[in-house]
């Protein structure tokens, strides 16, 4: 029997992407504006995202333990997104350029980590270890994490140039993700 179209993992993947952007606009994370990545990096980001959406179109999910576990992971990732956006709001009492409060006192790149957590939740939700497409989804997830990490390294170089010694000191105090001084 064919699975209904709305049980495609694509909708989960696309949904958390939309929710993360809605959080950005609702919370008004104005400090996240800046020069950002180069045009070529933005194009690579969108290409990778679309490849993931296409891949998840071919994977169905079922309401089972994997679904609920994946949903919990995605909700946790959404909370991390929200905490990051809340820290990036305008705080008139805090005049410094580097945001080192809130979740950014625990993780320098919580927004990237949140995306990785949500993607992991999506992969877990589509649990189907016998499927070739599902195995490809795990490969995609690993590449997604690797590309995200290289994006973080590039962002750190830009931030050191833009924010100087204050950001270099911040890098010494706060771990890149959550654990250790990576």
């Amino acid at each position: 029997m064919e699975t209904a179209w709305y049980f495609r993992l694509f909708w989960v993947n696309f949904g958390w992407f939309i929710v993360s952007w809605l959080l950005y606009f609702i919370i008004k994370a104005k400090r996240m504006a800046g020069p950002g990545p180069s045009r070529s990096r933005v194009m690579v980001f969108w290409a990778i995202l679309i490849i993931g959406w296409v891949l998840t179109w071919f994977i169905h999910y079922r309401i089972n333990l994997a679904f609920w576990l994946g949903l919990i992971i995605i909700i946790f990732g959404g909370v991390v997104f929200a905490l990051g956006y809340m820290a990036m709001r305008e705080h008139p009492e805090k005049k410094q350029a580097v945001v080192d409060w809130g979740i950014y006192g625990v993780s320098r790149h919580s927004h990237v980590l949140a995306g990785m957590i949500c993607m992991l939740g999506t992969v877990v939700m589509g649990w189907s270890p016998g499927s070739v497409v599902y195995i490809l989804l795990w490969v995609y997830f690993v590449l997604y994490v690797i590309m995200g990490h290289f994006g973080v390294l590039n962002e750190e170089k830009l931030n050191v140039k833009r924010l100087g010694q204050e950001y270099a000191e911040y890098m010494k105090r706060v771990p890149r993700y959550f654990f250790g001084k990576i």
Side-chain angles (χ1 to χ4, degrees):
M1 186 166 128
E2 178 64 26
T3 305
W5 65 270
Y6 47 84
F7 278 106
R8 292 183 187 272
L9 205 53
F10 165 82
W11 296 111
V12 175
N13 195 0
F14 185 72
W16 70 255
F17 177 79
I18 296 299
V19 166
S20 71
W21 279 98
L22 285 174
L23 285 170
Y24 171 80
F25 289 110
I26 290 169
I27 296 173
K28 296 180 177 56
K30 294 180 181 174
R31 284 179 169 258
M32 290 190 104
S38 66
R39 184 176 174 89
S40 61
R41 287 187 186 271
V42 170
M43 297 302 286
V44 167
F45 165 79
W46 281 105
I48 290 170
L49 200 64
I50 290 169
I51 289 168
W53 287 344
V54 169
L55 189 60
T56 55
W57 180 260
F58 297 102
I59 299 174
H60 299 121
Y61 67 90
R62 291 171 283 300
I63 309 296
N64 56 19
L65 180 61
F67 169 84
W68 294 109
L69 183 59
L71 186 62
I72 289 168
I73 294 169
I74 291 170
I75 290 170
F76 176 69
V79 168
V80 173
F81 265 124
L83 291 173
Y85 291 144
M86 287 171 31
M88 286 293 187
R89 288 182 300 168
E90 288 295 324
H91 293 273
E93 72 281 5
K94 298 177 179 172
K95 300 290 183 194
Q96 66 204 52
V98 175
V99 175
D100 62 355
W101 53 84
I103 197 162
Y104 287 99
V106 180
S107 169
R108 293 194 309 259
H109 299 282
S110 65
H111 55 287
V112 175
L113 184 62
M116 292 175 187
I117 291 169
C118 288
M119 189 65 213
L120 175 63
T122 303
V123 172
V124 168
M125 190 180 278
W127 185 258
S128 180
S131 166
V132 172
V133 179
Y134 184 71
I135 293 167
L136 287 174
L137 184 61
W138 271 105
V139 170
Y140 171 81
F141 172 70
V142 169
L143 293 174
Y144 182 87
V145 169
I146 291 168
M147 292 297 293
H149 179 69
F150 282 117
V152 160
L153 296 177
N154 184 59
E155 183 181 341
E156 286 182 344
K157 286 179 191 173
L158 291 173
N159 284 341
V160 168
K161 283 182 188 174
R162 195 175 71 170
L163 302 170
Q165 187 61 31
E166 186 179 356
Y167 193 80
E169 291 297 320
Y170 172 65
M171 288 173 66
K172 292 176 185 172
R173 286 192 323 272
V174 177
R176 184 173 286 140
Y177 300 111
F178 275 119
F179 304 106
K181 296 287 183 187
I182 301 172

